Amino acid sequence: MEVKKVAVVTGGNKGIGFAIVKGLCEKFNGNVYLTARSITNGNNAVIKLKQLGLNPIFHQLDVCDENSINTFRDYIKYTEGGVDVLINNAGIYADKLEIPIGDQAEKTINENYYSILNVCNALFPILRSNAQVINLSSSAGHLARIPSINMQAKFRDPLLTVDKLSRCMNEYVEDCKNNRYIEKGWGSSPYVVSKVGVSALSILQQNELDKETEKRNIFVNFVHPGYVDTDMTNHQGVMTIEEGAQSSIYLALGNHGLRGQYVWFNCKVVDWYGPTTPPKA
Ligand SMILES: NC(=O)c1ccc[n+]([C@@H]2O[C@H](COP(=O)([O-])OP(=O)(O)OC[C@H]3O[C@@H](n4cnc5c(N)ncnc54)[C@H](OP(=O)(O)O)[C@@H]3O)[C@@H](O)[C@H]2O)c1
């Protein structure tokens, strides 16, 4: 019997994640899991897609909750046997919240960086051969968005590891709590640092997977989806959610050969280490 392929999208109840699920239901040959932290919002999103004749499967997944991650991992492992596409879309923008910068930084690094690291640590062991992993970064996740050249150098270090990167993210949170983030050269945005962390993590994950003895031929890439009309942008974004989903769907469907690359909304590769970014939409 042929094994059915499996795609998983985090934060699928609305925005870009919802459009990624929709696009995968239309184009991906396999089961598509719409996951969300809220059971009600997740089920409502599934109902909307069913009304369009599509057939996603809902499972609860809060990417910041270890129990929820492990429950989901166990469910997928025993019902499906593995994962072929993992799209780490869930994320937050807390820069404008009226809380101290140290709290903003802690919340943002936790929700945007550690969430992806923890979901990947749980699901990577059950990725099948030729799996595609797509991490939602941002134009804000370009290395040049970190103002200090010395600070940038930490991310360029060829000896950087995931552990060192996580320590770097923790150091950033501490620097915010101690009000030293500007003098240390991090810049003023927790969102930027969290997404630079996601970008760097994606490159390191690809390097690590390339070295595994099992040789599963897994692809990890990270995207800037565009400036998209969602709750996150207070609907100021100029692109539709379907347009914002395109780069992730392109990567998920394979046939691109890209590994550890920064992929723009138009599916073109951008140099993460380069001096500038192309327009964000
Ligand atoms: N919109 C843009 O222009 C833009 C540009 C660059 C990058 N991005 C990135 O694209 C991704 C999607 O953004 P969006 O604009 O679609 O944002 P959005 O409309 O605010 O949707 C974010 C999604 O993430 C979910 N989420 C947040 N924390 C979660 C958690 N702990 N567990 C599970 N789900 C969680 C939200 O669930 P709830 O409904 O429960 O809150 C929601 O489903 C984000 O990673 C964002 O940083 C967006």
Side-chain angles (χ1 to χ4, degrees):
M1 196 182 77
E2 202 186 316
V3 175
K4 251 198 167 180
K5 289 201 169 188
V6 171
V8 172
V9 182
T10 68
N13 56 291
K14 67 178 186 180
I16 297 167
F18 178 79
I20 294 172
V21 171
K22 181 167 164 243
L24 288 179
C25 286
E26 287 160 353
K27 295 183 179 143
F28 177 75
N29 185 15
N31 289 338
V32 180
Y33 280 82
L34 183 157
T35 70
R37 59 180 159 188
S38 153
I39 294 176
T40 307
N41 294 345
N43 278 327
N44 286 341
V46 166
I47 289 169
K48 264 196 216 165
L49 292 171
K50 289 205 171 183
Q51 283 164 353
L52 299 175
L54 303 171
N55 204 14
I57 305 165
F58 174 68
H59 199 287
Q60 196 274 346
L61 176 58
D62 182 336
V63 296
C64 291
D65 177 346
E66 198 187 328
N67 283 335
S68 170
I69 294 174
N70 289 339
T71 302
F72 178 65
R73 187 262 330 273
D74 292 347
Y75 175 83
I76 287 289
K77 192 170 168 183
Y78 294 110
T79 54
E80 301 281 3
V83 170
D84 300 281
V85 170
L86 169 61
I87 304 192
N88 288 302
N89 161 80
I92 61 155
Y93 179 79
D95 286 10
K96 299 256 157 67
L97 289 186
E98 292 191 356
I99 53 174
I101 180 79
D103 295 344
Q104 274 179 23
E106 189 166 40
K107 186 174 170 60
T108 308
I109 296 300
N110 206 23
E111 288 259 5
N112 289 354
Y113 173 79
Y114 278 111
S115 61
I116 293 187
L117 179 59
N118 294 338
V119 167
C120 288
N121 285 345
L123 294 183
F124 274 16
I126 59 165
L127 288 180
R128 285 197 275 245
S129 291
N130 307 314
Q132 300 286 340
V133 178
I134 297 106
N135 294 332
L136 271 280
S137 181
S138 168
S139 58
H142 192 284
L143 183 56
R145 296 291 298 273
I146 302 281
S148 144
I149 301 292
N150 285 343
M151 193 54 83
Q152 281 184 20
K154 293 193 183 202
F155 294 90
R156 292 180 191 278
D157 182 354
L159 298 177
L160 187 65
T161 60
V162 172
D163 283 349
K164 282 186 190 167
L165 176 62
S166 295
R167 284 205 289 277
C168 205
M169 293 290 112
N170 297 345
E171 180 190 323
Y172 168 65
V173 173
E174 280 308 301
D175 287 342
C176 286
K177 292 201 165 174
N178 296 318
N179 225 359
R180 284 200 317 247
Y181 58 102
I182 296 294
E183 70 184 77
K184 292 278 292 285
W186 290 107
S188 57
S189 164
Y191 185 75
V192 162
V193 177
S194 74
K195 291 296 187 177
V196 168
V198 169
S199 303
L201 177 65
S202 311
I203 296 169
L204 294 170
Q205 287 175 324
Q206 180 71 74
N207 291 344
E208 283 190 357
L209 287 163
D210 286 348
K211 283 189 216 135
E212 69 177 8
T213 42
E214 213 184 326
K215 293 267 173 287
R216 287 180 293 170
N217 191 35
I218 292 166
F219 300 78
V220 184
N221 293 289
F222 51 113
V223 304
H224 164 57
Y227 186 41
V228 182
D229 176 355
T230 65
D231 287 351
M232 183 176 283
T233 59
N234 282 323
H235 299 278
Q236 299 300 301
V238 295
M239 290 169 53
T240 64
I241 54 171
E242 286 78 12
E243 289 168 332
Q246 263 177 26
S247 49
S248 299
I249 294 168
Y250 162 74
L251 288 168
L253 296 178
N255 300 322
H256 49 71
L258 300 175
R259 289 171 190 276
Q261 297 297 323
Y262 190 22
V263 178
W264 223 242
F265 63 83
N266 56 6
C267 304
K268 300 269 186 278
V269 172
V270 165
D271 180 7
W272 185 64
Y273 298 96
T276 52
T277 55
K280 68 178 180 177

